[in-house]
Amino acid sequence: MAQINKHYTEIKENYLFSDIAKRTAAYTAAHPEADIIRMGIGDVTLPLCDAVIQALHAAVDEMSRQESFHGYGPEQGYEFLKDAICDYYAKRNISILADEVFISDGAKSDLGNILDIFSTDNTVMVTDPVYPVYVDTNIMAGRKIIYAPANEANGFLPMPDESIDCDLIYLCSPNNPTGAAYTAAQLQVWVDYAKKHDSVILFDAAYEAFITDGKAARSIYEAEGAKDCAIEFCSFSKTAGFTGTRCGYTIVPLTLVRDQKPLQPFWLRRQTTKFNGVPYIVQRAAAAVFSEEGARQIRDNLDYYRENARTITDTLDDLGIWYTGGVHSPYIWLKCPNGMGSWEFFDFLLEKANVVGTPGEGFGECGKGYFRLTAFSSHEKTKEAMRRLKNVFQK
Ligand code: PLP
């Protein structure tokens, strides 16, 4: 008889977004006149920038001609894109070799797939609240998970506990859902811990492009010695609106060695065995993000979202509501006013302001009493939602 992977039965059902949809639908059915504003969306809303569209069109045309047609490409990605990524890091004084870069169809796949090269005996550490992918992919494999609490006291940026031994450490900065971002000095403490404990840090930098100043770190490799203990995951999804186009990349340094084995050849082997690469046209589109025009255009889009984030944080400042995020991140993580629970605040906001957000407890125990708003809506809707919030709380 075919045996199933029983660990799948141990994954907790995540009803967060379906519960949000259900409660919103019930409210709109009872109040059809309500003009609901959705501030819980984690997806981008602006279209792809012109440089990316032009690169896509040109690549499609190439595919129509015999002499420039592309079939299977290199599993690790085309040199032109890997080189552009190395240059992107070089501009920040980080040296990455083309062989250390792996192009993929997005960060989510790589974050899950990387586990193929690690033993299921490893103990895993995630922060709480957490992007659920880190948890579910490890439960699927039967690994033990330790939660590092993120809270107001540590600014939602947990630091290592020397008394606890973790083999795989997930860090996401700027963080989803809290928007909190580590400095290079804080990441250095994590890197020092990882080197001492022979752990590997899995660093999710999906939101690095939102970082506005030199205070927060945009890469784990800003910490000294990180190339000996960390794998970095990044994505064009939030940087350049590729959530539906699909492209990301993972850096596996050649100097990262565990059990006397370098990990880069393991990951290369895993990818060449189970993955056949990202479409040529998508990689051309991704490369356009690094062109002068592309970089300027995506900066304009990011600025658009940043302005929304500022509209939200200004309102919370005015109302004296505690929050983190919103500066280096499209996410604003606020403390539910008047001691309300996450779901209580969800219902309150829906009813009193017709605004929908995301209850923090959907991301973990430590999210109880917190709430996530996102900056991915339009200026008009964000402003209107904040006007309503002021109206409700200034009364
Ligand atoms: N990592 C984090 C923290 C995310 O929030 C997301 C998407 O929301 C991803 C990774 C997934 O990125 P991608 O679209 O590249 O798969």
Side-chain angles (χ1 to χ4, degrees), residues 89-363:
Y89 277 92
K91 283 192 187 121
R92 290 178 268 152
N93 295 321
I94 296 169
S95 164
I96 301 290
L97 304 172
D99 281 348
E100 299 177 318
V101 181
F102 293 81
I103 310 299
S104 72
D105 64 347
K108 191 180 192 175
S109 327
D110 280 4
L111 283 158
N113 294 334
I114 197 77
L115 294 171
D116 275 12
I117 67 168
F118 292 104
S119 158
T120 50
D121 294 335
N122 283 314
T123 298
V124 173
M125 191 226 78
V126 300
T127 59
D128 174 7
V130 63
Y131 176 53
V133 171
Y134 314 151
V135 174
D136 292 351
T137 49
N138 279 291
I139 292 178
M140 283 170 182
R143 285 191 194 83
K144 182 172 171 241
I145 300 176
I146 294 170
Y147 292 85
N151 47 42
E152 236 175 294
N154 59 26
F156 282 89
L157 294 168
M159 297 305 291
D161 179 343
E162 281 295 342
S163 66
I164 299 175
D165 213 21
C166 302
D167 305 312
L168 299 177
I169 298 163
Y170 285 85
L171 295 178
C172 175
S173 180
N175 189 270
N176 179 13
T178 70
Y182 285 108
T183 62
Q186 288 170 316
L187 290 181
Q188 189 66 57
V189 180
W190 276 109
V191 165
D192 294 344
Y193 169 96
K195 290 182 79 169
K196 191 166 156 199
H197 292 250
D198 271 340
S199 340
V200 172
I201 296 174
L202 303 173
F203 189 78
D204 186 343
Y207 296 93
E208 61 83 19
F210 282 87
I211 291 175
T212 37
D213 57 29
K215 287 190 194 126
R218 288 172 55 194
S219 164
I220 186 80
Y221 303 123
E222 288 178 34
E224 213 182 304
K227 284 189 83 179
D228 299 333
C229 66
I231 296 175
E232 180 155 296
F233 302 84
C234 205
S235 168
F236 294 91
S237 283
K238 308 298 159 85
T239 304
F242 273 54
T243 51
T245 308
R246 310 302 309 143
C247 197
Y249 54 92
T250 292
I251 313 291
V252 186
L254 289 166
T255 49
L256 176 50
V257 177
R258 288 294 177 268
D259 271 345
Q260 288 112 44
K261 298 268 189 296
L263 298 192
Q264 190 271 5
F266 273 45
W267 180 240
L268 180 62
R269 187 59 203 250
R270 190 270 169 211
Q271 290 298 78
T272 50
T273 304
K274 295 195 185 180
F275 184 59
N276 248 343
V278 175
Y280 172 74
I281 57 172
V282 172
Q283 293 193 56
R284 278 288 177 205
V289 169
F290 298 110
S291 68
E292 206 174 302
E293 271 295 276
R296 193 181 51 70
Q297 291 165 2
I298 62 156
R299 207 162 42 237
D300 288 347
N301 285 2
L302 292 168
D303 281 344
Y304 184 92
Y305 297 133
R306 282 192 191 109
E307 194 176 322
N308 284 339
R310 210 160 29 244
T311 303
I312 298 170
T313 54
D314 284 352
T315 306
L316 297 177
D317 284 337
D318 284 352
L319 294 173
I321 295 174
W322 190 93
Y323 66 90
T324 182
V327 181
H328 302 299
S329 163
Y331 299 123
I332 295 95
W333 180 256
L334 63 98
K335 189 171 183 174
C336 301
N338 308 328
M340 276 188 256
S342 296
W343 280 107
E344 194 185 348
F345 184 60
F346 175 90
D347 290 333
F348 177 87
L349 208 58
L350 177 58
E351 206 169 293
K352 303 281 186 224
N354 293 170
V355 170
V356 173
T358 313
E361 70 181 81
F363 300 99

